[in-house]
Amino acid sequence: MESLYLVGFAVVAVIAFILIIVFLKFFTTWLRARVASAPVSIGKMVGMSLRKVPVGLIVDNRITAVKAGIDIASDPLEAHYLAGGDVGQVILALIAADKAGIGLDFNRACAIDLATKGTGKTVLEAVRTSINPKVIDVPNPSMGRTTIDGVAKDGIGAKVKARVTVRSHLDRFVGGATEETIIARVGEGIVSAIGSADSYKDVLENPDRISKAVLAKGLDSNTAFEILSIDIADVDVGDNIGAMADAFRSGNLGIMDYVRMKNVQADTSMRESIAGTDKPPVTS
């Protein structure tokens, strides 16, 4: 009988020792949350630890949210972490949206965070772009083009550079088309607007007509952005396509003449490129 008492006492002592260790492990974090009026029970912390969720990350972000006036329980934060989301980015995005008076709830913020995962963008960036609009160059120089080229009705071309001011549309951010779609649509609209002009002079004299015509097309439909303005940054005269066509029709310029002319232009361009990159040899 005495041995049973000893075994029972040993079991109780072991359990008590384990509870003390657990309490001491999470006591500092529990106390920090309690003092910050963002309490998280030690039982929840133990559960997070067993699920390999960083307790400090969840508790600290809950404290940050509560101190900013946004009360989010630890369970949704833990669920978002387990889904592969960035809890810190979501909390910062919610705080930024709340301070700017933008309606953004936790679930939508999590959806945007997961949708932007691996794209190099974040939900916080989406909120910031919604608050402070960004400017997109059309065309994008990194895509290999520097101007949008169109031909007016008089046969003379125009080369246009535009700058599109957009802001994120958070309700359409998940599943909405990206910046590349905006660039493509605006470029298409510019070509169409130039083509509808009677003369290239109209394009040079009234570039705002192009921007107004393009803006009126509602090109931001089903995209993740809202277009605020389209500004023509630069307009240059392009090739006289009409004169070239007349030369072909009148027989003054044959196909082989045209091919030889293009070859000469390509050869000249190559020579200029080589001449511009050659450097004199270094002598010792």
Side-chain angles (χ1 to χ4, degrees):
M1 193 68 176
E2 184 178 351
S3 61
L4 291 176
Y5 283 129
L6 291 175
V7 171
F9 178 78
V11 171
V12 171
V14 169
I15 294 175
F17 178 75
I18 292 174
L19 291 176
I20 291 172
I21 294 298
V22 170
F23 181 78
L24 292 176
K25 179 180 179 180
F26 297 109
F27 176 74
T28 302
T29 305
W30 173 84
L31 182 62
R32 185 169 70 250
R34 175 66 65 177
V35 171
S37 300
V40 179
S41 68
I42 290 183
K44 285 186 179 294
M45 294 182 188
V46 172
M48 291 181 207
S49 181
L50 293 175
R51 290 185 288 271
K52 296 184 178 180
V53 175
V55 177
L57 174 70
I58 300 301
V59 172
D60 288 344
N61 277 283
R62 169 163 161 72
I63 292 173
T64 300
V66 170
K67 285 300 182 182
I70 304 173
D71 192 357
I72 300 176
S74 61
D75 289 343
L77 297 178
E78 181 185 356
H80 186 60
Y81 175 85
L82 291 172
D86 190 327
V87 175
Q89 286 288 321
V90 168
I91 294 301
L92 292 177
L94 287 172
I95 293 173
D98 181 67
K99 299 306 180 184
I102 298 175
L104 178 66
D105 59 32
F106 178 77
N107 290 333
R108 180 165 294 279
C110 290
I112 294 174
D113 179 54
L114 294 175
T116 55
K117 187 177 179 63
T119 64
K121 300 181 180 179
T122 65
V123 60
L124 180 59
E125 181 184 350
V127 172
R128 285 175 175 169
T129 305
S130 181
I131 299 171
N132 301 310
K134 66 182 295 185
V135 176
I136 301 174
D137 290 324
V138 178
N140 187 342
S142 64
M143 299 174 67
R145 297 186 59 186
T146 57
T147 59
I148 298 295
D149 302 343
V151 181
K153 291 180 180 179
D154 60 359
I156 300 179
K159 299 175 179 290
V160 175
K161 295 180 182 179
R163 308 195 78 189
V164 183
T165 304
V166 300
R167 67 181 174 194
S168 299
H169 197 302
L170 297 179
D171 290 337
R172 299 197 304 249
F173 205 85
V174 177
T178 59
E179 293 180 19
E180 286 75 14
T181 300
I182 294 288
I183 293 173
R185 289 181 180 179
V186 172
E188 181 182 352
I190 290 174
V191 172
S192 177
I194 294 174
S196 64
D198 293 328
S199 170
Y200 78 98
K201 295 180 181 179
D202 295 335
V203 177
L204 296 177
E205 294 172 358
N206 302 293
D208 60 313
R209 291 176 56 183
I210 297 178
S211 58
K212 290 178 180 178
V214 176
L215 190 60
K217 293 179 178 291
L219 302 180
D220 53 8
S221 174
N222 297 320
T223 69
F225 300 96
E226 177 186 357
I227 295 179
L228 301 180
S229 67
I230 300 176
D231 303 299
I232 304 302
D234 188 28
V235 182
D236 290 323
V237 179
D239 297 329
N240 193 336
I241 306 299
M244 183 74 73
D246 288 339
F248 275 118
R249 285 194 294 267
S250 63
N252 294 326
L253 181 66
I255 295 298
M256 294 308 298
D257 295 324
Y258 177 74
V259 171
R260 282 193 291 270
M261 181 187 70
K262 298 300 289 184
N263 286 338
V264 170
Q265 290 177 340
D267 184 62
T268 301
S269 176
M270 181 183 68
R271 290 175 183 274
E272 290 176 347
S273 176
I274 294 174
T277 55
D278 282 344
K279 295 182 179 179
V282 179
T283 58
S284 57

